[in-house]
Amino acid sequence: MKKLLSDWKGYLMSGISYMIPTVIGGAMIVGIPQLIGMVFGVNDLTKYKSAEGFFHILYQINQVGWIGIGLVNLVIAGYVAYAIGDKPALGAGFIGGQLASNINAGFLGALVAGFVAGYVARYCRRIKVGEAWKSAVPLLIVPLLTTGAVALVEGVILAGPLSWLNTTLVAWVKAMINNHTNGAIVALVLGGMIGTDLGGPINKAAWMVGNILFIEGIYGPALMTNIAICCIPLGYAIATFIYPRKRFSDEMFMAGRNNLIMGSFGITEGAIPFFLISPLKLLPVNMIGGALGAVTGELLGMKSHIPPLGGLPGIITADNKFAYIAGIAAGALFIGLVAPLVVNFNVSSDEEENDVSEDDIKIDIE
């Protein structure tokens, strides 16, 4: 059972890794034209749908981005299927992902499609036929069985339940975000998850929750995760400015300064070198910092009416820019102040004191 759950986690992470460029690319192509329009006082590009000229071009580019965001279910279903059943599962996974969007089954429906297509394709490897019919297996039998299974399971048997579950979950999330008290709870949870494994499965799950809701027009959770992602690496960068140089080894000092860039563009992996020095001590620091940043932004009323960009560029797409900046500052300052108090980052000097070289070892043989 443990191996099965580990395998499922791997398949899901594979699908998410392929989905991430789709979401980021789509969000940027949606956001940038809208930002350009806002510079010229145009807040709604849809008014120029049938017009001509510069703003019509911005509208057309903007719509390409929305197409990319709309492909999220298709991509994740296809590549979860691919991770399980290899190339024979890919087509049925894509079809199932698009079906999930069409029947309003959402991300959960896409996962169901990916797993069904993947496992049916894997089962098809056992099919034995005569030499004359071998070419028919990948061309006819596998596509028929994989796509047929997806159509039966997701399109017929689970269509109603999955649609109901997705609609209910989306309504529940919307209600929580609209209520600042409940929204703060969501921010605490997502911010804390971002700070756990720094780019690992839990971190990616929180990011996915925030960004998968793009499709439903809910941008609050994405803002929460974006703040937490920024403030953790930026916290370690700030620490190198707050504390004396001698508190950091050369490697950690340079890693901290590099985190100015990593944090600015929302790359939590920049904090990993610090985290590995003492994971048990820094895990709660990172989690509290991420949660503090996200909840600060939420309580100050951060929101966005367009898909938010990640990192510090997200300041541009945030409607309440002060709330977004304050959230990042709060989480980063907490980590920058607390982390060096609980962990010594001058690791190289400590290690040199304890290292014993082979030349120093003397063995007496009598």
Side-chain angles (χ1 to χ4, degrees):
M1 185 63 183
K2 187 176 180 180
K3 182 181 182 304
L4 180 63
L5 292 175
S6 177
D7 289 343
W8 284 358
K9 182 181 75 174
Y11 303 147
L12 178 59
M13 289 301 106
S14 178
I16 291 173
S17 69
Y18 283 103
M19 181 195 75
I20 288 173
T22 308
V23 172
I24 293 176
M28 292 182 71
I29 300 302
V30 166
I32 292 174
Q34 289 189 287
L35 291 173
I36 295 173
M38 289 166 64
V39 169
F40 292 96
V42 177
N43 294 320
D44 185 7
L45 292 175
T46 58
K47 296 177 181 178
Y48 296 88
K49 178 179 180 179
S50 303
E52 295 182 358
F54 178 66
F55 294 114
H56 177 64
I57 294 172
L58 291 180
Y59 167 80
Q60 290 177 310
I61 296 172
N62 173 270
Q63 292 306 298
V64 172
W66 282 115
I67 290 172
I69 292 174
L71 292 176
V72 165
N73 287 334
L74 181 149
V75 171
I76 196 166
Y79 285 103
V80 166
Y82 175 77
I84 300 170
D86 213 348
K87 287 189 288 186
L90 196 58
F94 284 149
I95 292 170
Q98 186 58 50
L99 176 62
S101 296
N102 291 353
I103 65 174
N104 200 27
F107 173 73
L108 294 175
L111 288 184
V112 170
F115 276 92
V116 170
Y119 276 109
V120 172
R122 180 182 286 185
Y123 174 80
C124 288
R125 297 172 188 170
R126 303 179 184 179
I127 297 175
K128 305 296 182 183
V129 296
E131 191 68 29
W133 292 94
K134 276 190 175 180
S135 61
V137 173
L139 291 176
L140 297 174
I141 297 175
V142 174
L144 172 64
L145 293 179
T146 53
T147 307
V150 168
L152 182 63
V153 174
E154 187 180 26
V156 179
I157 298 174
L158 295 180
L162 285 172
S163 178
W164 173 84
L165 182 58
N166 181 64
T167 303
T168 303
L169 286 173
V170 168
W172 177 64
V173 171
K174 281 184 177 179
M176 291 195 72
I177 298 301
N178 291 333
N179 182 313
H180 277 305
T181 302
N182 291 333
I185 296 173
V186 175
L188 286 170
V189 172
L190 292 180
M193 289 175 68
I194 289 293
T196 52
D197 51 1
L198 305 177
I202 299 173
N203 174 286
K204 287 289 190 296
W207 182 91
M208 180 190 66
V209 168
N211 287 271
I212 203 71
L213 291 169
F214 273 7
I215 305 172
E216 310 295 340
I218 304 173
Y219 305 130
L223 289 167
M224 297 169 187
T225 56
N226 287 349
I227 284 179
I229 288 169
C230 282
C231 67
I232 296 170
L234 284 177
Y236 291 101
I238 289 173
T240 64
F241 291 95
I242 295 176
Y243 288 93
R245 173 69 176 79
K246 63 183 180 180
R247 298 287 295 271
F248 303 87
S249 67
D250 292 340
E251 294 82 359
M252 290 297 100
F253 183 80
M254 290 307 301
R257 293 301 170 89
N258 289 338
N259 271 339
L260 284 172
I261 298 174
M262 303 281 272
S264 296
F265 289 95
I267 305 173
T268 50
E269 286 83 349
I272 290 177
F274 294 89
F275 179 70
L276 291 178
I277 292 176
S278 183
L280 290 179
K281 291 181 180 179
L282 290 177
L283 176 62
V285 174
N286 290 342
M287 291 180 67
I288 294 171
L292 177 63
V295 78
T296 298
E298 170 62 20
L299 291 177
L300 290 175
M302 67 176 179
K303 57 183 179 179
S304 178
H305 67 280
I306 59 175
L309 298 176
L312 293 185
I315 296 170
I316 303 171
T317 54
D319 292 343
N320 187 336
K321 294 175 176 35
F322 171 76
Y324 191 85
I325 295 170
I328 294 174
L333 281 172
F334 173 82
I335 293 173
L337 288 169
V338 174
L341 294 178
V342 298
V343 173
N344 176 24
F345 292 120
N346 195 0
V347 290
S348 60
S349 61
D350 292 340
E351 290 175 350
E352 286 173 0
E353 291 175 5
N354 295 322
D355 280 348
V356 180
S357 68
E358 292 181 2
D359 294 335
D360 293 332
I361 300 176
K362 295 181 180 180
I363 303 177
D364 294 329
I365 302 178
E366 296 182 357

